[in-house]
Amino acid sequence: MTREHAVAESTALTGVQERVWDSFRRWGYLQANLDPLGDLEPLPVPELEARGADAEAARRVYCGTIGVEFMFIPERERRLWVQERMEADSRQPDRGRVLDLLVRAEVFEQVLQTRYLGTKRYSLEGEAALLPLLDSILSAAAEQGATKGMLAMSHRGRLNVMVQIVGRSAAEVFARFEDVDPRSTMGGGDVKYHMGATGNFHAANGQDLSIHLVSNASHLEAVDPVLMGRTRAKQMRRGESGRKQVVAIAMHGDAAFAGQGICAETLNLCGVPGFTIGGSFHIIVNNLIGFTTVPRDSVSSRFSSDLAKRLAIPIFHVNAEDADAVVRVGRIAVEYRYAFDSPVVIDLIGYRRHGHSEVDDPTITHPLRYRKIEAHPPMWQIYSEKIGADVEPMVRGVREELDAAQREAQEIEKRPLMRRLPRYWGDFKGGKYDASYEVDTAAPAETIAAIGESLVTYPHGFHIHPKVKKLLEQRLEMARGKRPIDFAMAEALAFGSLLLQGVPVRLSGQDSRRGTFNQRHAALIDTETEEEFVPLEHMAPDQAWCEIYNSPLSEAAVLGYEYGFSRDFPEALVLWEAQFGDFANGAQIIIDQFIAASEDKWNLLSGIVLLLPHGYEGQGPEHSSARVERFLQLAARDNIQICQPSTAAQYFHLLRRQAMRMWRKPLVVFTPKSMLRHPAASSQLAAFTSARFQTIISDGADGSAERVLLCTGKIGHELEAERKRRQNDSTAIIFLDQLYPFPEAELAAAMDRHTNAREFVWVQEEPGNMGAREFMIPRLERLARGRVVLSVNRSESASPSTGSSKAHDMEQKTLLTLAFGI
Ligand SMILES: Cc1ncc(C[n+]2csc(CCOP(=O)(O)OP(=O)(O)O)c2C)c(N)n1
């Protein structure tokens, strides 16, 4: 039956027949034959008890080896689309190609098993159909205009995918089992089944797709948003046709997909304009087990894929042992994605032939299932019997090929599987900081004035909010040097000047367009129409692109996404803003596993900027601290930059420095809240038109001070005010605007200039077990050359701050009193 035929027929169905078909369309997947081992039993569904020709026909379509969930999609057009595809005859795939991949998948694992017994490889056996599925998706995508596939997956089957899909040679992968010279990776690097890889995939139509398999952290699913952000960046680089050209395929474990919240967060990005990539493919490599835990204990519903039902996207369950069906589903998924710009989920249900890894014995926990698995033939055998192919010569051929590759592996150089970074990374550097990277970040006064004009310009007839109008008028005065420049204006000037220089800017965060503290106003809103206008997008015809988005209320997925974006747009200033820095720990995995460690593990750089509002202002334990201490603990070998600019001009230079230096390192910025508009933190125009970012700001350099207070951020301004109040002229204050890389030489010189000083006092708002104290004290002791080093801080505490604003005020007063030595 052709599709047209089916549709024509279905329009002629009677009401009763229509109801029968409808029941199967809606519930058929619950009785589909999805599990090769038969453990996933059909669910009794009264609606499917109908008998008769229509019921039988519908049962054949919807209760075979494909079960599809799509009737919950609100758009009728989409439901009909899936229905038509399902009810049409399927075309037979290239079975020779499918068999070849099935054989390659399993023989590859067997060769690894015999040659490297006792090593973990996370075999794909039992899910070998993943390869024909990927082949089907990539081949169909090539027909639709795709030129690049971005893949992300965890451990299971990764080595296999690297060879059969990414196109790396088996010898290269084997070489990693031969182990490397340990001196080349001491303290760094990563295990072989997490490394990224690039290569080429030969699609069935003869076209080559470039493939990139994203480097993976062990933390399951954390790579998902990174994949999406990277895909968006690569799409943007290709312009209009980018979405057509670059497709993302995320592979998930069944236990991980159900359990890890980041999957939900990432899926939720798919339709949001600032984050969409025109639909991603999500394959659940579903072996119905996670380590030793069966679905009963890892998911509260029947399918691990149920999470995806929060979105209006189709979910295809398919029995991995019916490779023809698997290939068909892959093709339908691609056509759906290209028709509707929508993600698609494919739940590939198979089994896991060995233990979690090959050194793990699964019969201890699941003796019955594993007895069944042991007696179960491999997929290629089942498929070759089904299609009547003489497979033995093929198996022999592949084995000989792999044996030769294994011999070659002992000889070849152990290079990373990334051929080389894309050309756009050519000019950028990682590694240790070098002063030669510094650039002049000042902007001419005319440029500042011109940006100021642009920032306050909006279309004729635009109804501006009176409060915003006033703010814009003030901004114009700031740009003309008639009033000190505050933090928000400094940021707009940094963005504006970079855009005019051709540096793109992308910022996302919760409520970032207006700004949590009503400070940014990146988008002006017409009070009559709610139309939006972003002045930074309209400064000059040849300016770079500017994207400032309100993000969904997620930290992990959004930061992961922006980190991913920064990986493929090194020339752009890419920023993620936390609503309050306190919430950044919702993205701790991304910070620990990617931002802090990716250069060390994978030699991959990023210039991502984290804007983390920080400061003790009596707003309670979760609106005070961005956890300075955590970032400092992550800092080593110049892997990240940790800064707290104390003035607006410092912020301006810091942002410009980040984009203009060729050194690409993540930058963590503790940004102000109450200081946003505070005169003490505002700067004169001259500080923008000259100078650059200063790692420390030191006063009292005449050497007369007896006591030197060292601090970072807001408390420094409070110390200055207190000093003034006390008319104290024997105390100097040094602000550390950069905590890491630690500005040792500058600080040592500043401290040495205080020849009369007897005490150096580290002053922080945070409790003693938090903040920069533990990082600073040993360093200050070294630089103090025998003079006394003290610290003033809140008492050690389990939570960052008090919940009482009055108690906060008292504590703050005490800090200031102690700082001045009473
Ligand atoms: C966030 C996180 N928690 C725990 C682990 C440890 N771990 C590694 S694999 C695994 C089981 C994963 O099961 P599943 O997602 O079904 O994938 P499979 O290994 O079966 O392919 C676990 C718990 C981890 N890597 N990451």
Side-chain angles (χ1 to χ4, degrees):
M1 188 165 44
T2 64
R3 183 161 16 119
E4 291 71 22
H5 188 185
V7 173
E9 264 197 358
S10 79
T11 52
L13 293 179
T14 64
V16 176
Q17 289 172 311
E18 193 56 68
R19 264 201 305 283
V20 168
W21 275 93
D22 195 70
S23 294
F24 279 91
R25 286 169 193 145
R26 198 173 292 276
W27 305 116
Y29 72 96
L30 294 172
Q31 293 194 347
N33 164 24
L34 300 176
D35 176 8
L37 299 184
D39 286 347
L40 186 69
E41 287 179 2
L43 212 64
V45 182
E47 288 88 339
L48 301 184
E49 280 168 11
R51 293 276 166 260
D54 280 296
E56 290 322 308
R59 191 182 304 281
R60 267 197 302 281
V61 173
Y62 291 105
C63 300
T65 48
I66 301 174
V68 55
E69 297 182 67
F70 68 110
M71 293 295 277
F72 61 92
I73 299 176
E75 294 89 350
R76 183 163 187 271
E77 182 201 5
R78 297 187 185 198
R79 290 198 307 274
L80 283 177
W81 191 101
V82 175
Q83 178 183 318
E84 282 177 26
R85 287 294 192 287
M86 286 298 293
E87 291 169 24
D89 281 344
S90 58
R91 79 175 192 213
Q92 203 185 77
D94 176 346
R95 289 179 149 178
R97 193 173 165 99
V98 173
L99 181 59
D100 180 62
L101 283 167
L102 290 177
V103 167
R104 283 180 183 280
E106 303 226 11
V107 174
F108 175 79
E109 298 289 357
Q110 284 160 11
V111 170
L112 283 178
Q113 177 71 4
T114 24
R115 300 283 169 168
Y116 307 103
L117 195 66
T119 342
K120 296 179 188 179
R121 62 193 155 87
Y122 300 105
S123 160
L124 190 60
E125 289 153 279
E127 284 283 357
L130 175 65
L131 297 191
L133 177 58
L134 289 170
D135 177 65
S136 168
I137 292 175
L138 290 166
S139 292
E143 287 171 27
Q144 301 273 354
T147 56
K148 183 159 196 80
M150 295 291 291
L151 273 53
M153 68 189 301
S154 61
H155 50 288
R156 176 100 31 235
R158 192 170 169 104
L159 301 174
N160 219 319
V161 167
M162 275 187 190
V163 175
Q164 327 297 347
I165 301 294
V166 185
R168 305 306 307 188
S169 81
E172 276 176 309
V173 170
F174 290 160
R176 302 211 140 251
F177 280 85
E178 301 288 335
D179 218 347
V180 290
D181 175 355
R183 279 162 307 181
S184 67
T185 53
M186 286 281 252
D190 201 353
V191 292
K192 49 190 164 288
Y193 39 83
H194 286 163
M195 300 299 251
T198 54
N200 277 326
F201 169 79
H202 307 296
N205 68 356
Q207 195 187 317
D208 262 10
L209 270 82
S210 81
I211 303 288
H212 182 68
L213 177 63
V214 179
S215 300
N216 183 64
S218 222
H219 289 61
L220 293 165
E221 307 295 342
V223 74
D224 298 351
V226 178
L227 168 74
M228 304 306 162
R230 295 200 59 183
T231 302
R232 167 103 167 189
K234 287 192 184 284
Q235 290 179 341
M236 279 185 72
R237 301 196 84 88
R238 286 165 173 79
E240 287 278 286
S241 64
R243 284 209 195 150
K244 219 177 199 187
Q245 284 195 47
V246 188
V247 291
I249 306 176
M251 287 158 267
H252 314 272
D254 53 307
F257 192 73
Q260 294 293 308
I262 199 164
C263 297
E265 290 189 22
T266 305
L267 280 174
N268 186 46
L269 299 179
C270 74
V272 177
F275 299 84
T276 184
I277 56 170
S280 40
F281 300 98
H282 295 265
I283 302 172
I284 301 173
V285 184
N286 189 349
N287 48 27
L288 295 172
I289 195 162
F291 211 141
T292 65
T293 304
V294 285
R296 181 184 64 237
D297 295 326
S298 70
V299 52
S300 286
S301 54
R302 183 171 170 85
F303 293 104
S304 117
S305 58
D306 284 350
L307 157 74
K309 279 203 260 188
R310 64 173 299 187
L311 297 175
I313 62 174
I315 299 166
F316 294 90
H317 306 278
V318 58
N319 185 323
E321 214 146 68
D322 184 351
D324 288 349
V326 170
V327 170
R328 180 175 175 218
V329 162
R331 179 163 282 279
I332 296 176
V334 171
E335 289 171 6
Y336 189 90
R337 183 267 189 199
Y338 277 90
F340 302 111
D341 278 354
S342 160
V344 183
V345 173
I346 300 170
D347 181 21
L348 181 69
I349 302 179
Y351 56 94
R352 188 186 71 193
R353 180 161 296 281
H354 305 282
H356 172 57
S357 78
E358 293 64 35
V359 295
D360 204 84
D361 182 356
T363 63
I364 293 172
T365 48
H366 299 95
L368 299 185
R369 184 164 168 90
Y370 275 83
R371 224 171 280 160
K372 222 191 254 186
I373 290 174
E374 206 181 345
H376 203 78
M379 284 187 184
W380 58 263
Q381 205 168 311
I382 291 174
Y383 192 67
S384 64
E385 274 164 25
K386 174 178 165 182
I387 67 173
D390 176 15
V391 74
E392 277 312 317
M394 196 184 246
V395 174
R396 239 187 346 266
V398 172
R399 189 160 282 139
E400 280 164 15
E401 216 178 273
L402 293 174
D403 284 344
Q406 200 261 331
R407 284 192 296 277
E408 194 192 325
Q410 292 159 351
E411 310 299 326
I412 67 172
E413 191 196 335
K414 283 99 190 167
R415 321 180 271 283
L417 300 181
M418 226 93 55
R419 266 181 315 212
R420 73 182 119 78
L421 286 172
R423 232 173 315 139
Y424 46 80
W425 270 102
D427 293 337
F428 298 102
K429 306 264 185 309
K432 283 269 182 194
Y433 169 72
D434 190 309
S436 68
Y437 295 141
E438 290 307 333
V439 289
D440 191 1
T441 52
E446 308 80 70
T447 310
I448 302 265
I451 300 167
E453 295 282 347
S454 305
L455 289 175
V456 303
T457 306
Y458 40 84
H460 184 69
F462 194 89
H463 305 94
I464 193 90
H465 194 287
K467 286 186 184 162
V468 178
K469 186 161 189 280
K470 184 154 173 261
L471 178 112
L472 295 185
E473 283 162 7
Q474 290 173 355
R475 285 191 170 177
L476 192 58
E477 287 179 16
M478 290 180 197
R480 290 176 175 164
K482 293 190 182 145
R483 134 200 296 269
I485 296 174
D486 65 14
F487 257 87
M489 180 61 171
E491 181 188 86
L493 291 172
F495 290 174
S497 56
L498 289 170
L499 290 167
L500 291 177
Q501 278 169 242
V503 176
V505 174
R506 177 183 163 95
L507 162 67
S508 87
Q510 292 151 25
D511 310 289
S512 286
R513 272 164 86 83
R514 190 203 70 174
T516 297
F517 311 102
N518 197 25
Q519 84 284 18
R520 183 169 288 120
H521 300 281
L524 308 178
I525 319 281
D526 188 307
T527 52
E528 298 297 315
T529 64
E530 288 196 1
E531 242 168 66
E532 298 191 2
F533 181 79
V534 179
L536 283 169
E537 291 173 6
H538 303 279
M539 290 190 302
D542 57 348
Q543 71 167 86
W545 55 259
C546 171
E547 296 192 333
I548 299 179
Y549 293 112
N550 287 341
S551 76
L553 211 167
S554 139
E555 283 76 29
V558 177
L559 179 56
Y561 190 98
E562 299 306 343
Y563 164 80
F565 192 94
S566 76
R567 289 270 312 103
D568 286 286
F569 243 114
E571 67 273 43
L573 181 67
V574 182
L575 311 99
W576 172 73
E577 183 175 57
Q579 185 120 66
F580 282 77
D582 311 64
F583 303 117
N585 59 7
Q588 200 64 50
I589 296 173
I590 301 297
I591 294 166
D592 292 347
Q593 267 52 52
F594 291 90
I595 291 175
S598 64
E599 184 176 1
D600 191 289
K601 292 193 292 188
W602 311 312
N603 208 16
L604 294 176
L605 309 177
S606 158
I608 180 89
V609 180
L610 277 63
L611 301 180
L612 310 179
H614 174 81
Y616 279 58
E617 288 155 357
Q619 294 195 67
E622 279 83 38
H623 291 78
S624 297
S625 175
R627 305 278 189 175
V628 176
E629 64 281 3
R630 298 232 172 107
F631 290 96
L632 290 171
Q633 192 207 31
L634 289 172
R637 299 197 202 185
D638 291 357
N639 62 335
I640 49 176
Q641 309 164 81
I642 303 170
C643 296
Q644 183 155 219
S646 54
T647 66
Q650 281 280 84
Y651 184 40
F652 169 84
H653 290 295
L654 179 62
L655 292 177
R656 283 177 55 77
R657 181 183 88 165
Q658 179 69 355
M660 290 166 65
R661 280 196 312 210
M662 300 319 275
W663 200 48
R664 279 294 168 270
K665 291 283 165 165
L667 167 64
V668 180
V669 190
F670 300 110
T671 54
K673 295 175 285 183
S674 65
M675 298 308 283
L676 276 169
R677 300 173 185 85
H678 200 284
S682 300
S683 307
Q684 298 300 327
L685 178 62
F688 294 73
T689 56
S690 64
R692 47 175 75 166
F693 180 75
Q694 294 168 265
T695 53
I696 64 166
I697 298 179
S698 174
D699 66 5
D702 61 359
S704 63
E706 291 161 19
R707 190 177 173 91
V708 179
L709 306 179
L710 298 106
C711 58
T712 180
K714 171 175 88 64
I715 188 80
H717 295 296
E718 287 168 326
L719 290 171
E720 282 186 341
E722 179 69 10
R723 182 174 61 180
K724 196 166 167 196
R725 196 181 66 77
R726 290 169 177 252
Q727 298 181 335
N728 176 320
D729 55 9
S730 61
T731 305
I733 297 174
I734 298 179
F735 284 80
L736 266 92
D737 279 23
Q738 178 169 306
L739 291 162
Y740 194 84
F742 184 60
E744 176 142 350
E746 293 93 322
L747 188 58
M751 287 168 71
D752 284 350
R753 275 196 294 274
H754 290 291
T755 44
N756 268 0
R758 282 172 288 118
E759 289 168 345
F760 291 96
V761 187
W762 175 253
V763 186
Q764 66 174 34
E765 298 183 293
E766 298 88 346
N769 55 325
M770 299 176 192
R773 183 182 175 278
E774 289 183 10
F775 173 84
M776 288 304 301
I777 295 298
R779 286 170 173 79
L780 291 179
E781 281 174 348
R782 200 169 64 233
L783 301 184
R785 302 183 199 278
R787 289 175 287 176
V788 176
V789 172
L790 302 168
S791 70
V792 170
N793 45 260
R794 282 185 163 78
S795 305
E796 292 197 357
S797 166
S799 108
S801 87
T802 169
S804 148
S805 141
K806 284 201 178 127
H808 162 84
D809 289 344
M810 280 169 60
E811 289 172 4
Q812 204 75 1
K813 225 173 181 171
T814 311
L815 285 182
L816 297 178
T817 307
L818 290 175
F820 284 89
I822 296 172

